[in-house]
Amino acid sequence: MLDKVCQTGRKYADGFKEDMEILFDDFLPLYPLKPGSCQSAVPKQVRVNQRAKNSMKVSPILAIILALIFLSLPACHKTEAEQSHEDHHKIVVTSPKEMDIVIKQQYVCQIRSQRHIKVKALQSGYLEAIPVKEGQAVEEGKVLFSVIPTLYDARLAAEVAEVQLAQQEFNNTERLLKDKVVAQTELALYQAKLEKAKAKMDLAKAELSFTKVKAPFGGIIDRLHEQQGSLVKEGDVLTTLSDNREMWVYFNVPEARYLQYMAEILGQNYKKQNYETRLKAFLTEMNRQARIELVLADGSKFPQIGTIGTIEAQFNNENGNISFRADFPNPEGLLRHGMTGNTLLNRTLAKAIVIPQRATFETLDKRYVYVLDKDDVVHQREIVVENELDDIYVIKSGLGVGDRFVFEGVRQVRDGDKREYEFRSPDQVMANQKYHAE
């Protein structure tokens, strides 16, 4: 119909001028005169003037009609071109691909030393010269701080004298017992007195030893809170000591993801087992399936690979997360207590069903694809996405390997359409995606 209108318009435009001239010559008078009227009496010059006036009245109408016709001609050509393009454009159809993929899940983490303690004063007094410096690595048993021991030395000397006195009294009583001068109970009394004196001496020795604060394990000294000559009290914090040979990396896992891990890794195999057995089995299988990596604050990856060490006992009610702990060896001492980063869990999913994201569309928070039935009729189908990668979806349900779906031209089809299409193999389609099989 549109073609006929365009052709008629062009034909009419070509002959429009000629038709208008005939119209002006034949119907110049606005009102025709009857025979015998005064028409013949009208001079020729008057008739010419009248014709010119009528021409001026018709000219604007003519100009508008011509403009509309000429403007419609390019539109006719454009519409024909677009129609021809649409008629020859085919949609592209493919099928889901079954492949092994690596799912990367990233969690913000906090890095902690395996052993990180506050070093406190065990006795009150003035500090002697401090033999260590901030940031120094020390071995187990190294003296870190010393309190001036004058008072404690004197106390120990007094207790040693008490022991010697008690020992002399016990020895004298023992000789008298042999001579049967005193009773056995008298000797037992002096023996108890001797043991009490020895206990006080041991206590004095311990108090003297506490004037020296030693490293309970090898590690790195943190900031010194007190300096030489400072008066400290029992329990005052002097510094902190960190054992960085192995680092504990804590990251929070949402409750839904935690339940997903448990369902996928343990399944129903350990449902009736006790907690310790289930936890051990989970950690063993998780470390077998997943590669644990640590991304530092500058974006670089820590060279060592970690393992999941444990899971905390309870969820955080404020954010609904539970903490996992990954253990990383730190032989070069790069990691320090208090650092932050991101933990990467790289899990391999065997025989996963994947499709390109561009083949899907979303309606009311649900995701769909257009699938073709055996008669090549297009139907809308809902899918459930299990995981999302760079530009592909891992399908949980809704599509199988044997299904066909629209890959290119999703916006050109509607439910119930039957269109010509080009089929591309899943390997060819996935090869052009950012994430593809190696």
Side-chain angles (χ1 to χ4, degrees), residues 384-435:
V384 178
V385 176
E386 181 177 4
N387 288 287
E388 178 178 350
L389 279 71
D390 288 338
D391 53 1
I392 68 172
Y393 286 133
V394 180
I395 303 301
K396 183 177 182 180
S397 63
L399 281 177
V401 178
D403 291 325
R404 296 175 300 161
F405 62 91
V406 177
F407 170 56
E408 291 183 356
V410 175
R411 296 186 178 182
Q412 302 175 17
V413 298
R414 295 292 182 270
D415 198 353
D417 288 352
K418 187 174 183 179
R419 299 284 297 275
E420 294 184 0
Y421 63 88
E422 173 192 351
F423 184 82
R424 292 183 188 172
S425 66
D427 292 335
Q428 182 180 0
V429 171
M430 294 303 300
N432 296 324
Q433 306 300 310
K434 292 182 181 179
Y435 188 103

Side-chain angles (χ1 to χ4, degrees), residues 80-94:
E80 289 177 355
E82 291 178 352
Q83 184 67 26
S84 175
H85 176 73
E86 290 182 2
D87 290 342
H88 291 85
H89 183 74
K90 296 180 180 178
I91 62 176
V92 178
V93 174
T94 187

Side-chain angles (χ1 to χ4, degrees), residues 349-361:
L349 297 182
K351 297 182 179 180
I353 304 297
V354 298
I355 64 171
Q357 292 186 15
R358 60 187 293 188
T360 69
F361 60 97

